[in-house]
Amino acid sequence: MRPQPAAREHAELEAATAALDAPFAVVDLAALDANAADLVSRAGGRPVRVASKSVRCRGVLRRVLARPGFSGVLAYSLREALWLAGGDDAVSTDVVVGYPSVDAGALRALAADEQAVERVTLMVDSVEHLDLVDAVVPPGTRPPLRVCLDVDASLRAAGGRVHVGVRRSPVHTPGEAAALARALVDRPGVELVGLMAYEAQIAGLQDAPARRPFRGLAVRGLQAVSARELAHRRAEVVAAVSAVAPLRFVNGGGTGSLERTAAEPAVTEVAAGSGLYSPTLFDGYRAFAGRPAAFFAVPVTRVPAPGVVTVAGGGWTASGPPGADRLPLPTFPAGLRWLAGEGVGEVQTPLRGPGTAGLRSGDRVWFRHAKAGELCEHVEVLHAVAGGAVVDVLPTYRGEGRAFG
């Protein structure tokens, strides 16, 4: 588990943002750049496609994509993809939509834009998705649309009764992938260009959770089994699909699995995004230790009792299975924790511990979010900090009036 940010970083953040009124959020550019370099190093020469849902700020996306080793965006909706890929000032001219789209308006906009058709790749995992596209924009009325085949990367055992991983694509075996590939090739108006398989049970699951050594041991064993099975199956899937049509890219992995995934010969690129901000859910990994790069600050509004302070709001919880690991972590001053009976609140959050010493109304408490891009759902800008000063103000998707949920 990585150490928490040091007191020096706290002092630098306070000095840089002294003129700002809380609540606000910052991105530490030195930490962001260090994390970006680490992702490229861990990818071992494979290009890294940036997962935009874990960033949600065009300024940060541009900064990262300008670095060697990064190439393209993995978007989380078609409307977002069209926005990022549009115009002469596009964030990227190579955007893969990470999830199937049933947004009729966005599909019509894609089909009507020749530039977007060249830059955006749709995700499909069934003939049903093709039927929906054809119903919205019939093949004869549009140019061929680029599509990527989404393959389930979960671990299945006991005849399918045991499922480890997320529920994504119904396509799991090489035979199923080849059958869908043939349907894509035979379908007018689409072009199969890529294949994706995201192993959430490896990339997105802590293998060294704090104070839970036995869970960590079990997770590592499970991940080792899953990684061996997936490497073998993914290679067979790629071979089966490539026999039907040539693939321009094969995407896999995430921040938590870059080394493993990049080592597979069948994979041509990896995806990552959360590791850029290094939120708290990525504290419990053995393979790497990122630098926390994104923080939010809220003001102290009360001191209701000795050893207790109350801050305004703070309840910026993360998606996923409910639990303490989805709550934001009070980070500065060190030595703060929520009250078990209250957690973090929409309007106020009481905190206790030795970190309360010296805190007065109007002082700030700094938090780290549990997930990466979700922080940007709560703020309109990220204040970019470098060299002890705010050097830029970067609008988030929310700040630019964009919602792509």
Side-chain angles (χ1 to χ4, degrees):
M1 180 173 174
R2 69 172 59 82
Q4 291 300 307
R8 177 180 176 182
E9 186 170 2
H10 181 201
E12 290 175 349
L13 289 174
E14 285 283 0
T17 61
L20 299 179
D21 292 327
F24 59 83
V26 304
V27 57
D28 181 332
L29 295 182
L32 177 78
D33 290 344
N35 291 336
D38 182 63
L39 291 175
V40 170
S41 175
R42 292 175 55 219
R46 292 284 192 270
V48 180
R49 186 178 292 275
V50 184
S52 64
K53 76 175 183 64
S54 301
V55 178
R56 302 193 198 193
C57 172
R58 288 202 298 175
V60 173
L61 286 171
R62 291 185 193 279
R63 184 182 183 91
V64 172
L65 287 168
R67 301 178 62 94
F70 289 92
S71 180
V73 170
L74 186 67
Y76 65 97
S77 77
L78 178 54
R79 287 186 184 271
E80 182 207 18
L82 294 171
W83 183 53
L84 295 177
D88 296 334
D89 193 34
V91 170
S92 175
T93 58
D94 176 12
V95 182
V96 176
V97 184
Y99 306 86
S101 178
V102 296
D103 184 335
L107 288 168
R108 283 191 288 269
L110 171 65
D113 187 335
E114 292 184 4
Q115 184 186 69
V117 167
E118 295 177 355
R119 296 178 175 183
V120 174
T121 300
L122 296 173
M123 189 68 62
V124 299
D125 65 29
S126 66
V127 172
E128 185 179 62
H129 289 141
L130 302 176
D131 293 340
L132 188 146
V133 172
D134 286 352
V136 174
V137 279
T141 66
R142 67 170 197 251
L145 303 180
R146 295 157 52 102
V147 297
C148 177
L149 196 161
D150 193 6
V151 175
D152 177 55
S154 63
L155 177 65
R156 298 181 185 178
R161 293 188 298 276
V162 176
H163 182 108
V164 180
V166 296
R167 303 280 181 174
R168 290 177 68 100
S169 170
V171 179
H172 188 79
T173 68
E176 291 168 342
L180 182 53
R182 285 191 290 271
L184 291 169
V185 169
D186 292 340
R187 194 87 168 209
V190 295
E191 179 189 5
L192 176 60
V193 298
L195 185 147
M196 174 181 170
Y198 170 58
E199 55 271 34
Q201 72 277 14
I202 303 173
L205 196 61
Q206 293 181 346
D207 64 356
R211 297 178 295 279
R212 303 178 72 183
F214 294 111
R215 175 177 169 79
L217 187 64
V219 168
R220 292 194 293 273
L222 180 67
Q223 288 178 334
V225 171
S226 182
R228 287 193 296 270
E229 184 276 336
L230 179 58
H232 177 74
R233 177 164 54 88
R234 182 152 41 197
E236 290 188 336
V237 166
V238 171
V241 173
S242 297
V244 177
L247 294 171
R248 299 183 195 177
F249 67 88
V250 176
N251 180 281
T255 292
S257 69
L258 286 186
E259 300 93 334
R260 278 174 162 161
T261 308
E264 295 182 29
V267 174
T268 67
E269 64 176 41
V270 291
S274 294
L276 294 168
Y277 292 158
S278 195
T280 64
L281 282 176
F282 284 85
D283 287 352
Y285 284 80
R286 297 198 309 169
F288 65 96
R291 287 178 55 182
F295 304 87
F296 70 91
V298 293
V300 174
T301 56
R302 312 188 206 214
V303 183
V308 179
V309 299
T310 301
V311 299
W316 299 2
T317 59
S319 60
D325 65 347
R326 303 290 155 161
L327 302 183
L329 180 69
T331 304
F332 299 135
L336 294 173
R337 62 184 184 276
W338 346 279
L339 279 65
E342 295 196 47
V344 294
E346 176 188 9
V347 176
Q348 66 172 33
T349 297
L351 301 167
R352 68 188 315 164
T356 61
L359 284 177
R360 299 291 182 266
S361 294
D363 292 342
R364 296 134 162 205
V365 171
W366 294 77
F367 287 79
R368 292 170 60 208
H369 205 275
K371 297 187 79 172
E374 290 184 15
L375 169 63
C376 294
E377 294 179 356
H378 300 274
V379 295
E380 295 188 350
V381 299
L382 294 175
H383 297 275
V385 174
V390 174
V391 297
D392 206 351
V393 178
L394 306 174
T396 64
Y397 285 9
R398 174 179 170 175
E400 295 195 274
R402 303 284 178 162
F404 304 108

